[in-house]
Amino acid sequence: MQWADFDNDGNLDLAVLGSAALRIYHNNANGTFSLTATLLSDSNSSYGKIIPGDYDNDGRLDLLVFAGIAAKIVRNNGSGGFSDIGVSFPVLGGTGDWADLDNDGDLDILIAGVSNSSQTNITQIYLNNGDGTFTKSTQYLLGVASGFAVLRDLDRDGDFDILLSGATNYMFGGPAGPYATTIYRNDNGLFSEVPSPFPALVSGKVATGDYNNDGNLDVFLQDGQGFSRLFRNESGLAFTDTGISLDQTVPVVWADFDNDGSLDFLQTAYVEPSFRILLYRNQNQTSNSIPLPPSGLDALPSGRSVDFRWCDAVPNHAQQFSCWRVAIGGGIPFKQGRPHRRRR
């Protein structure tokens, strides 16, 4: 299940994967929802993963759907219409993410799971060609299944790194181990493995967020054998085990539930004698204050585009020196460039 505003009317709509189909429900803004689309009825799966994102830069949220024996892209056509674009990434029990990995302005795809053809565990990048097609990257990544593969800027350098975990051997019909949890640092679209401070996880789960408001993404890890731990990001891909854990191993959701500027934890779990909602309040005393406006705004025209640049705001962690490219006259109206950090 995934909430997102698919029709840009300011209300959260709902995408649900279940009963061997993907269903999109429109928010009627009166407490009710209307079914607007049913897709992927051939997915042969009642569970999976749904990730919204605008892969074609048309201003509407599309969907990357992991279900059954493949990951597929569902395009948002507008006016409540959705369509399977026919691009399929064959992976059994797959997971993954999408983000702009090569800083060309469109969403690329990361998938992990069991290859349908080779029956080996894979982790693979597919680069967006900008025309509705994707090209398989030749970069090697450790193949994993029964875990997670997410894209996050863990070192705050303006591009998306890879955090993945799972079994490294083929799972079905034989032993699944060994397990691994791995970080790949993204340097201008090239990925290199860095020493991982995280333990190997069996059926791992991950949630990321800045719990202590220092500007770095922290990592909360869990697995199916009772492991549960919060790791603080010290910057530069260095993490410290905080010793903070939760009794329940169901996935956590990060959000500021009490509006005090700090991220809290929410879980739903079975605790005798019934299912319960468990809310953990963040006692961190560092508030996430609103930064001052960035200074040093500059505009550099070049042909049909303009580079906008600005300096760090205050506090320092709140805003990096960044660059945005805006087309003039035609083409894609807004295209994000690579953020940069200016040394002083």
Side-chain angles (χ1 to χ4, degrees), residues 57-210:
N57 290 323
D58 65 354
R60 296 186 291 263
L61 285 177
D62 313 297
L63 294 171
L64 175 62
V65 182
F66 291 86
I69 60 174
K72 296 186 176 183
I73 295 176
V74 173
R75 184 177 187 271
N76 186 341
N77 301 320
S79 302
F82 292 81
S83 59
D84 179 354
I85 69 170
V87 174
S88 180
F89 307 94
V91 59
L92 182 62
T95 186
D97 207 350
W98 55 3
D100 184 6
L101 298 179
D102 52 5
N103 291 300
D104 65 350
D106 47 32
L107 295 181
D108 309 300
I109 293 176
L110 173 72
I111 67 168
V114 179
S115 168
N116 294 336
S117 57
S118 62
Q119 295 188 339
T120 57
N121 293 356
I122 61 169
T123 303
Q124 184 65 56
I125 292 172
Y126 290 87
L127 298 175
N128 190 336
N129 298 320
D131 59 0
T133 65
F134 292 79
T135 298
K136 184 177 179 180
S137 170
T138 59
Q139 295 191 64
Y140 169 80
L141 301 171
L142 177 68
V144 297
S146 186
F148 58 78
V150 297
L151 298 169
R152 302 288 189 271
D153 185 5
L154 296 174
D155 54 2
R156 292 182 59 207
D157 65 349
D159 48 26
F160 289 90
D161 310 299
I162 296 174
L163 176 59
L164 58 87
S165 177
T168 59
N169 283 350
Y170 178 60
M171 295 179 53
F172 302 97
Y179 293 83
T181 302
T182 305
I183 298 174
Y184 287 89
R185 182 179 60 236
N186 185 348
D187 293 309
N188 297 316
L190 299 177
F191 291 87
S192 56
E193 185 175 354
V194 299
S196 173
F198 306 128
L201 303 174
V202 178
S203 300
K205 298 176 283 289
V206 63
T208 58
D210 182 11

Side-chain angles (χ1 to χ4, degrees), residues 293-337:
S295 60
L297 181 63
D298 193 15
L300 304 174
S302 175
R304 295 175 57 250
S305 66
V306 178
D307 285 344
F308 290 95
R309 303 171 183 268
W310 58 89
C311 301
D312 286 349
V314 179
N316 186 54
H317 67 256
Q319 176 66 59
Q320 293 184 352
F321 175 74
S322 300
C323 174
W324 287 74
R325 176 160 294 171
V326 180
I328 300 175
I332 300 172
F334 294 98
K335 189 172 183 179
Q336 183 177 1

